[in-house]
Amino acid sequence: MDFGLSPRAEELRSRMAAFMAEYVLPAEPEYDRQLAEASEPHRLPPVMRELKEKARAGGLWNLFLAHGDWGAGLTNLEYAPLAELAGRSIIGPEVFNCSAPDTGNMELLALFGTPEQQDRWLRPLLAAEIRSCFAMTEPEVASSDARNIRTRITRDGDEYVVDGHKWYTSGILDPDCRLIILMGVTDSDAPTYRQQSMLLIPRDTPGITVLRDLPMFGYTDRCGHGDVLFEDVRVPTSALLGGEGEGFALAQGRLGPGRMHYAMRAVGFAERALELMCRRALTRTAFGGPLAEQGVVREWIARSRIEIEQLRLLVLKSAWLMDTSGNAAARTEVAAIKVAALEVAHRVVDRAVQAHGAAGVSDDTVLARLYAITRALRIADGPDEVHLRTVARRELARYPEESA
């Protein structure tokens, strides 16, 4: 395995590190202030618009998209350290137009969209002129099993009609959201993984009702997590993404690179938390000396560094496998990093919270928000248990002679 970066990727990493230090991290307090003072809690703060313009002008834009015709053409391995850098700030990925759910949606459109769909939706998403959301999770069923989805997509002449209830549809409350990619059932009698399809639904289509904005551990997300009702929502048949019955396959294609992005951003979360923990330990005095002289605090720091390094290597291996052997060959590793990344990040953040005491659970640092995010992401994009099941099943398959 070779984890070395190309000269271009190394140059991008250097420029992104400088950009994060000079612009993004110092802008976090202003971003929070503007958001708190805004009359519309989901509107893009002006400072974010300024940061996006700087990033785009500096060539640090759409770096996640591997397809040369649309994005930067970087490999997964080349993009991984950039995702880590962006992940050091909660606002970092959006600055570079590399934030979910738009990244996954743009991947879908680049891979499976028709030229007309790409012109209408992909181009403005790449330019950050619009935002999008992905409607899959449902409150009435365990949506981690796509076979449970109840939302129905019915053909009616030259239209599809959608009826269903989705929630945690992240991004739908952003005033710039113009596109909903929805997954629903087109044929309940088809083979198990040929029942679902995906539709491209304009946000302003009649019949879409946002019932409420769902918090995440008490935090209101800037882009919003919508509880959404779809009632007799009609779109033309040209809104179908891919073909009928291809929804599950499209979702799998969307999730491979996306999970690597999540994992590398989680490494960034953990690095930020470790840095804050170290600075706190060196400057805070208790029981006659700096916290950094306490054995338990030193153990927190040491274990955090060890776990981060282990995680980074596992993610880089996954990215390398995806590049050299394809997503299918890296399926075990991709499932493993989704579990490992958020577990490690959450543990490191938890230690940093403990080191900060009362400040750690307040909003005076980013730690409480990171704590909520790292815990919630162990459910989002497939809960840990689904990925553990995948890893175990593939591991057991190595011993067919032992099967009863």
Side-chain angles (χ1 to χ4, degrees), residues 274-302 351 354-356:
L274 178 55
E275 176 185 333
L276 290 171
M277 178 164 48
C278 289
R279 293 185 184 279
R280 181 75 168 188
L282 289 166
T283 57
R284 204 73 167 180
T285 299
F287 305 105
L291 287 180
E293 292 182 1
Q294 300 292 332
V296 66
V297 176
R298 289 188 172 226
E299 181 177 345
W300 293 345
I301 292 168
R351 293 168 185 147
Q354 195 73 8
H356 281 73

Side-chain angles (χ1 to χ4, degrees), residues 4-15 74 78:
L5 294 180
S6 66
R8 181 192 176 208
E10 190 62 64
E11 189 265 341
L12 283 170
R13 182 169 67 171
S14 177
R15 285 201 286 122
L74 298 174
E78 288 174 325

